[in-house]
Amino acid sequence: MSESATGDAHGVTGDGGPAAGATGRAGHEIDPVAAGAGDGTRAVRAGLPEPAKYEPTLPGPVFAAHYHLPGEPTGPYTYGRDENPTWTLLERAVGELEVPGQDGVETLVFGSGMAAISAVLFSQLRAGDVCVLPDDGYQVLPLVRAQLEAYGIEVRTAPTGDDAQLHVLDGAKLLWIETPSNPGLDVCDIRRLAEAAHTRGALVAVDNTLATPLGQRPLELGADFAVASGTKQLTGHGDILLGYVVGRDPEAMASVRRWRKIVGAIPGPMEAWLAHRSIATLQMRVDRQSATALAVAEALRERPEVTGLRYPGLPDDPAHKIAARQMRRYGCVVSFTLPTRARADRFLDALRLVDDATSFGGVRSTAERRGRWGGDAVPEGFIRLSVGAEDPEDLVTDVLRALDASAV
């Protein structure tokens, strides 16, 4: 793995900035998050309030539908569907991870990843507009396409790989990118696509779910929006639903905020607090899971029954060259195909350390035959394996043993 892809795992700070502990004027220590600290330091400290004597370092969730409002409502918190102090800290944390050390960026959290995706699409597009989607992205996107078209919005699609969306950009209002794509793990050049889209007057949104902010930072690569499901690796424990949108343009983000208010697509305060708490371990989880995913992919490469193996961290993966330029870590998902549906089912049944479950990014490994859901253009024996935080040797052994057991 290249140095740029390993981040601070080899002593390089997360964004090329000075190490933590730098001092500012009068000898006072600079906030390590703002000063360009490593990813681990940033994740642990992101979004924390200023220290106050006898107060918790991370305040507990605020459960409030309404607030005291004597006189004119000039304060930040008025009603529970609009704002919540627990959201505020989480939004600050996510923004510091997605666009560290930069002002003028707004983050909004949502009740799920699809709530965040819908907020961007339906707040920015109107009847008669053109939207470009990937045709190999998240399986709910075809449902989104149908709804957009029902509202009179033209939808064009193209594959993620080879930057194919470039060829359908003319006249578009919004380009939606998903890289790496789910579940096929193709990668496109975000900077190239963003520049081309902006030349044509289109906005650019990047689904950053699979990469996480520690894998890539879409806004730094030219995107207008970074959107993700916090349900997955960002929070990593498989116990909450969450989404977020990060953007720079105040007018565009005001529209996203208005959409959240209209549809009420908000997270509960407990979910927001759990998410913020979980982000503290993000760097440790991502580094462990990425390293183990590479080990699993390398082991699978030696198996003759495995075809279509994809992991962007493999040097010979079709996406590796582009991924190495724009990604700092390659993610926790490995995909591959077994010869038949029956073989895939036997493999999943034989696994002992891997749960047969959907979703990805959790500390416990999961795998599934994606064809069981429909909506993904994959072979019947296609497996999406999400690598967890188990010991690498144990997980590789379990996967290889299950392959052997499924052969009979």
Side-chain angles (χ1 to χ4, degrees), residues 138-199:
Y138 182 46
Q139 65 161 352
V140 181
L141 287 182
L143 300 178
V144 173
R145 175 179 184 170
Q147 192 62 57
L148 289 169
E149 290 175 337
Y151 289 155
I153 297 162
E154 179 185 343
V155 179
R156 302 172 188 163
T157 62
T160 298
D162 298 321
D163 298 341
Q165 289 174 300
L166 282 173
H167 306 302
V168 292
L169 274 178
D170 286 348
K173 173 70 178 300
L174 176 68
L175 167 64
W176 189 273
I177 295 171
E178 185 179 305
T179 180
S181 61
N182 172 30
L185 302 182
D186 268 325
V187 171
C188 61
D189 188 328
I190 295 174
R191 192 180 299 279
R192 182 188 183 201
L193 283 164
E195 289 175 355
H198 290 155
T199 297

Side-chain angles (χ1 to χ4, degrees), residues 13 22 36 90 94 112 121 129 131 171 187 208 262 264 271 314 322 346 348 361 395:
T13 59
L90 174 60
V94 171
S112 70
L121 291 170
D129 287 341
C131 176
V187 171
N208 205 31
I262 291 169
E271 286 78 8
L314 286 171
I322 296 174
R346 292 197 301 270
L348 293 169
L395 190 58

Side-chain angles (χ1 to χ4, degrees), residues 98 110 113-118 120 176-177 204-210 218-219 225-230 243-246:
E98 282 281 359
F110 290 80
M114 279 309 304
I117 289 170
S118 300
V120 172
W176 189 273
I177 295 171
V204 178
V206 176
D207 186 328
N208 205 31
T209 301
L210 203 147
L219 268 64
F225 302 100
V227 187
S229 168
Y244 68 80
V245 178
V246 184

Side-chain angles (χ1 to χ4, degrees), residues 20 37 70 111 140 174 186 226 242 251 327 334 338 352 385:
V140 181
L174 176 68
D186 268 325
L242 192 85
E251 184 176 349
M327 297 184 72
V334 178
L338 293 176
R352 294 294 174 262
L385 171 62

Side-chain angles (χ1 to χ4, degrees), residues 89-383:
L89 296 179
L90 174 60
E91 288 170 342
R92 187 185 304 165
V94 171
E96 288 169 0
L97 294 175
E98 282 281 359
V99 196
Q102 296 189 29
D103 296 326
V105 175
E106 183 175 3
T107 302
L108 296 170
V109 291
F110 290 80
S112 70
M114 279 309 304
I117 289 170
S118 300
V120 172
L121 291 170
F122 292 105
S123 70
Q124 303 302 310
L125 296 168
R126 302 290 184 271
D129 287 341
V130 176
C131 176
V132 176
L133 300 177
D135 65 11
D136 55 351
Y138 182 46
Q139 65 161 352
V140 181
L141 287 182
L143 300 178
V144 173
R145 175 179 184 170
Q147 192 62 57
L148 289 169
E149 290 175 337
Y151 289 155
I153 297 162
E154 179 185 343
V155 179
R156 302 172 188 163
T157 62
T160 298
D162 298 321
D163 298 341
Q165 289 174 300
L166 282 173
H167 306 302
V168 292
L169 274 178
D170 286 348
K173 173 70 178 300
L174 176 68
L175 167 64
W176 189 273
I177 295 171
E178 185 179 305
T179 180
S181 61
N182 172 30
L185 302 182
D186 268 325
V187 171
C188 61
D189 188 328
I190 295 174
R191 192 180 299 279
R192 182 188 183 201
L193 283 164
E195 289 175 355
H198 290 155
T199 297
R200 293 163 171 82
L203 295 169
V204 178
V206 176
D207 186 328
N208 205 31
T209 301
L210 203 147
T212 81
L214 300 194
Q216 67 190 10
R217 296 173 181 152
L219 268 64
E220 292 184 353
L221 295 168
D224 300 289
F225 302 100
V227 187
S229 168
T231 308
K232 312 296 194 297
Q233 197 172 22
L234 184 82
T235 56
H237 292 80
D239 52 9
I240 61 172
L241 296 178
L242 192 85
Y244 68 80
V245 178
V246 184
R248 278 201 182 93
D249 183 80
E251 184 176 349
M253 289 302 292
S255 295
V256 176
R257 178 184 290 274
R258 185 165 55 249
W259 180 266
R260 183 179 70 174
K261 177 183 178 73
I262 291 169
V263 301
I266 59 173
M270 190 66 190
E271 286 78 8
W273 184 84
L274 285 169
H276 197 170
R277 179 213 60 176
S278 299
I279 285 174
T281 61
L282 179 62
Q283 182 261 343
M284 292 182 282
R285 290 185 282 106
V286 167
D287 279 352
R288 174 63 169 262
Q289 290 169 267
S290 297
T292 305
L294 179 61
V296 170
E298 289 173 338
L300 288 170
R301 189 166 50 183
E302 305 302 317
R303 300 291 299 216
E305 69 268 52
V306 169
T307 60
L309 175 66
R310 297 299 304 270
Y311 182 66
L314 286 171
D316 58 350
D317 187 272
H320 181 73
K321 185 176 180 180
I322 296 174
R325 289 203 304 264
Q326 69 188 22
M327 297 184 72
R328 296 154 58 243
R329 293 168 177 86
Y330 298 118
C332 62
V333 176
V334 178
S335 67
F336 58 96
T337 300
L338 293 176
T340 64
R341 172 177 177 170
R343 178 72 186 272
D345 287 337
R346 292 197 301 270
F347 166 73
L348 293 169
D349 187 58
L351 291 166
R352 294 294 174 262
L353 297 180
V354 183
D355 296 330
D356 190 342
T358 194
S359 196
F360 59 85
V363 291
R364 289 173 287 278
S365 294
T366 61
E368 67 173 339
R369 190 180 61 79
R370 285 298 293 176
R372 65 181 177 173
W373 297 106
D376 290 319
V378 296
E380 285 289 336
F382 182 94
I383 300 291

